[in-house]
C-alpha cells in the first residue's frame, strides 16, 4: 500500500459565484497581533522542540516547520521537522518506559493524572490562548475546549482504578476462572488540528490510565497546544519516555508509516479523515495491531414540523457553527420539514447575521477563521457547486476580503440532493438547508451516506423520538440537542466513520483481557 505524500495527506477531506444577496450584514472584529504568545502568564509553556525520552530535542537535520496564525497569516514560531529516525527513537523510548510504567499501580497513575488535570485547570487561560493563536477559534470557545480537554484526564484518572477483571464460574471442580486487564504496550497517537488539545487528552488520558506509553504526532498546524500539554504532564510527574512527541509536516508519510508498522507499537489511535484512516488501518494490519479510528462525518440535522423551533435554532447554531463549522460531528446536511421550513430558514439567518467574525483574542468575537486557505477554497467550492444546481444564498457565501482565512458564515436554502456537500464533509461555516415532507423520506436521505458518526433531530413526538433515534445509522444521536460531546460518553461512529470508541469504554481499547484458569484448588 502506497502512503500519500505529505501534501496529499493534508489535502484529503478536512476535518478538511458571488452570493445573489446578503440577508443581513455581519460585524467583523479587529485582528490581534501574532506576538500574543508574549502575553502568556507562563511563557515556559511554549515549547519549540519535540519531546523524546524526557528531553526537548530538535530534528537531527535541523529542519523546521513554520506555524502561522490563521487570523493574520503571521508566523507564530517553529517546531522541528522530524523524520523516521526520531520516530524510531521515540518508539524505543516508549518501549523502555513501558517496562516500568506498565507495572505501576492504578492508584499511582490516578494520582499523577489528577495532578495533570489540576495543572490544566490552573493554566486554563494560557492553554486557551495558545489554542486560539494557532487554531483561530474564539477565546471563549478555546477555554471551553480546555475544560473539555481536561475532563478526559479527570475521567480517565478515575477509570484507572476501575479496570476490573472478573471471576467466571467453572464447570469443573477445583478450577477457578478469572480474567485480568493488562495494558497493550506502546501506542501511536495521531491527532487533528480542529481540537488541538482535546483530541490528544481523549487518547493520552486513556493510554496513561491503562498503563500504556505513547508516541504522539500532533498536526503541523497546531503543535504548540500539544507541546504545552506535555510540559504540564511532565510537571505532574509523568516519567520520562511515557509520553513522546514527534513533530513533522513534509515527512508525515514516512513518520506515520513507522508509527503504524513498527512491531514495537501495539496500538494505533487516529482522528481525521476516512481516506487517511483506511491507509493507517491497512498499515497497522500488517502486524495485527489494535486500532481506534475516529474518521469522517456527514451528520444529518433534522427538524420536524412538531419541533420546538427555538430549541432547534439554538441546536443548529451550537452544532453547525461550533469551531466555525470545523468539527467532525457538526451538522453537514440540514433537513427541515416543509411546514416549518420558511420560519426556520428565516430565523436561522437572523441569528447568523449577529455573529461577530474576527480574531479570536478580540473581545466579542464569536467565530474565528478557518484553519488555512485550502479550507476556504473547499467551502467556496461547495457553495459554488450547490448554487450551480439551484441552491440560493440567504447570507454569506464568500471569503471575507481581509488577511487570514476568514469565511463569511453562510446559509444556503433549497439545496438539491445532488449537491456535492451532501457527499463530502464541508468542514466550514456553511449551513445547507433542504426541505422534506415525510419521516420516511428524511430517514432515507439521512442514511444515504457512507458515513455514520453523528446525527441530530428535533421533535416533541415521543414515538417519533424513539423511531428516528433507532433508525439513524450513526454511532451517536442528539435528540433535541445539538451538543453531544462529553468525556463520559462512548464517542465513535459506524460505517466508514471509524472503529472503536473513545471516552466512556475507551480505556478498554488500550487494554488486553487475559484469561487465567487456576487449577488444583
Amino acid at each position: 500500500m502506497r502512503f500519500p505524500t505529505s501534501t496529499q495527506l493534508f489535502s484529503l477531506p478536512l476535518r478538511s459565484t458571488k452570493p445573489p444577496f446578503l440577508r443581513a450584514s455581519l460585524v467583523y472584529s479587529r485582528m490581534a497581533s501574532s506576538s500574543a504568545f508574549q502575553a502568556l502568564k507562563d511563557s515556559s509553556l511554549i515549547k519549540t522542540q519535540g519531546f523524546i525520552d524526557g528531553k526537548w530535542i530538535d530534528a537531527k537535520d535541523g529542519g523546521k516547520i513554520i506555524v502561522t496564525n490563521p487570523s493574520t497569516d503571521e508566523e507564530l514560531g517553529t517546531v522541528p521537522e522530524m523524520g523516521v529516525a526520531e520516530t524510531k527513537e521515540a518508539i524505543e523510548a516508549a518501549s523502555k518506559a513501558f517496562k516500568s510504567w506498565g507495572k505501576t499501580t492504578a492508584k499511582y497513575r490516578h494520582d499523577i493524572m489528577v495532578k495533570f488535570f489540576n495543572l490544566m485547570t490552573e493554566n486554563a487561560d494560557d492553554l486557551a490562548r495558545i489554542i486560539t493563536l494557532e487554531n483561530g477559534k474564539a477565546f471563549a470557545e478555546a477555554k471551553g475546549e480546555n475544560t473539555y480537554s481536561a475532563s478526559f484526564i479527570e475521567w480517565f484518572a478515575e477509570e484507572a482504578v476501575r479496570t476490573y477483571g472478573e471471576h467466571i464460574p467453572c464447570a469443573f471442580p477445583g478450577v477457578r476462572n478469572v480474567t485480568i486487564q493488562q495494558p497493550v504496550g506502546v501506542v501511536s497517537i495521531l491527532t487533528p488540528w480542529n481540537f488541538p488539545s482535546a483530541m490528544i487528552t481523549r487518547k493520552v488520558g486513556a493510554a496513561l490510565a491503562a498503563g500504556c506509553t505513547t508516541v504522539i504526532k500532533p498536526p503541523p498546524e497546531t503543535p504548540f497546544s500539544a507541546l504545552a500539554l506535555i510540559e504540564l504532564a511532565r510537571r505532574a510527574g509523568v516519567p520520562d519516555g511515557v509520553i513522546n512527541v514527534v513533530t513533522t509536516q513534509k515527512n508525515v508519510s514516512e513518520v506515520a508509516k513507522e508509527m503504524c508498522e513498527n512491531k514495537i507499537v501495539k496500538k494505533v489511535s487516529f482522528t481525521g479523515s476516512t481516506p487517511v484512516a483506511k491507509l493507517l488501518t491497512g498499515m497497522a494490519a500488517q502486524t495485527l495491531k489494535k486500532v481506534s479510528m475516529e474518521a469522517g462525518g456527514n451528520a444529518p440535522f433534522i427538524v420536524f414540523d412538531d419541533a420546538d423551533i427555538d430549541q432547534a435554532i439554538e441546536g443548529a447554531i451550537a452544532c453547525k457553527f461550533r469551531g466555525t463549522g470545523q468539527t467532525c460531528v457538526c451538522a453537514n446536511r440540514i433537513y427541515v420539514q416543509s411546514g416549518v421550513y420558511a420560519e426556520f430558514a428565516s430565523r436561522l439567518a437572523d441569528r447568523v447575521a449577529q455573529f461577530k467574525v474576527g480574531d479570536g483574542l478580540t473581545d466579542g468575537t464569536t467565530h474565528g477563521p478557518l484553519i488555512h486557505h485550502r479550507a476556504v477554497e473547499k467551502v467556496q467550492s461547495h457553495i459554488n457547486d450547490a448554487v450551480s444546481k439551484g441552491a440560493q444564498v440567504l447570507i454569506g457565501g464568500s471569503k471575507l476580503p481581509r488577511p487570514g482565512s476568514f469565511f463569511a458564515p453562510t446559509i444556503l436554502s433549497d439545496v438539491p440532493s445532488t449537491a456535492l456537500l451532501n457527499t463530502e464533509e464541508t468542514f466550514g461555516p456553511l449551513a445547507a438547508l433542504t426541505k422534506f415532507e415525510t419521516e420516511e423520506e428524511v430517514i432515507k436521505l439521512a442514511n444515504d451516506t457512507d458515513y455514520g458518526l453523528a446525527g441530530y433531530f428535533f421533535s416533541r413526538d415521543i414515538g417519533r423520538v424513539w423511531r428516528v433515534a433507532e433508525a439513524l445509522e450513526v454511532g451517536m444521536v442528539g435528540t433535541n440537542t445539538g451538543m453531544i460531546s462529553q468525556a463520559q460518553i462512548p464517542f465513535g461512529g459506524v460505517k466508514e466513520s471509524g472503529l472503536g470508541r473513545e471516552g466512556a469504554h475507551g480505556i478498554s481499547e488500550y487494554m488486553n483481557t487475559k484469561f487465567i484458569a487456576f487449577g488444583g484448588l
Side-chain angles (χ1 to χ4, degrees), residues 272-293:
S273 73
T274 293
V276 177
K278 291 178 180 180
L279 289 166
L280 300 182
T281 301
M283 292 176 190
Q286 301 305 308
T287 49
L288 291 180
K289 302 183 195 305
K290 294 188 77 168
V291 296
S292 297
M293 296 285 160

Side-chain angles (χ1 to χ4, degrees), residues 317-454:
I317 295 295
C319 178
K320 172 67 257 184
F321 293 102
R322 180 187 182 196
T324 314
Q326 299 174 113
T327 74
C328 56
V329 293
C330 77
N332 203 56
R333 299 166 292 151
I334 300 178
Y335 300 109
V336 184
Q337 201 160 15
S338 58
V340 294
Y341 184 87
E343 179 186 0
F344 181 87
S346 175
R347 292 179 59 183
L348 182 62
D350 288 342
R351 283 296 309 280
V352 171
Q354 298 172 31
F355 289 173
K356 190 174 183 181
V357 181
D359 187 282
L361 293 174
T362 302
D363 289 344
T365 292
T366 60
H367 295 78
L370 298 184
I371 189 64
H372 44 50
H373 294 282
R374 296 195 308 277
V376 169
E377 293 169 359
K378 184 173 185 181
V379 177
Q380 190 67 68
S381 70
H382 278 188
I383 293 171
N384 293 347
D385 172 77
V387 169
S388 72
K389 294 173 180 175
Q392 299 294 314
V393 178
L394 296 185
I395 187 170
S398 63
K399 181 184 184 303
L400 298 180
R402 59 188 297 175
S405 48
F406 291 93
F407 201 97
T410 300
I411 299 177
L412 298 182
S413 66
D414 304 317
V415 176
S417 60
T418 56
L420 188 61
L421 59 81
N422 285 314
T423 56
E424 291 185 2
E425 197 174 14
T426 300
F427 236 61
L430 168 58
L433 310 185
T434 299
K435 186 185 300 183
F436 74 91
E437 298 295 337
T438 67
E439 180 180 318
E440 181 181 17
E441 173 194 0
V442 78
I443 292 298
K444 183 177 180 181
L445 288 169
N447 291 338
D448 187 21
T449 175
D450 292 331
Y451 302 97
L453 187 58

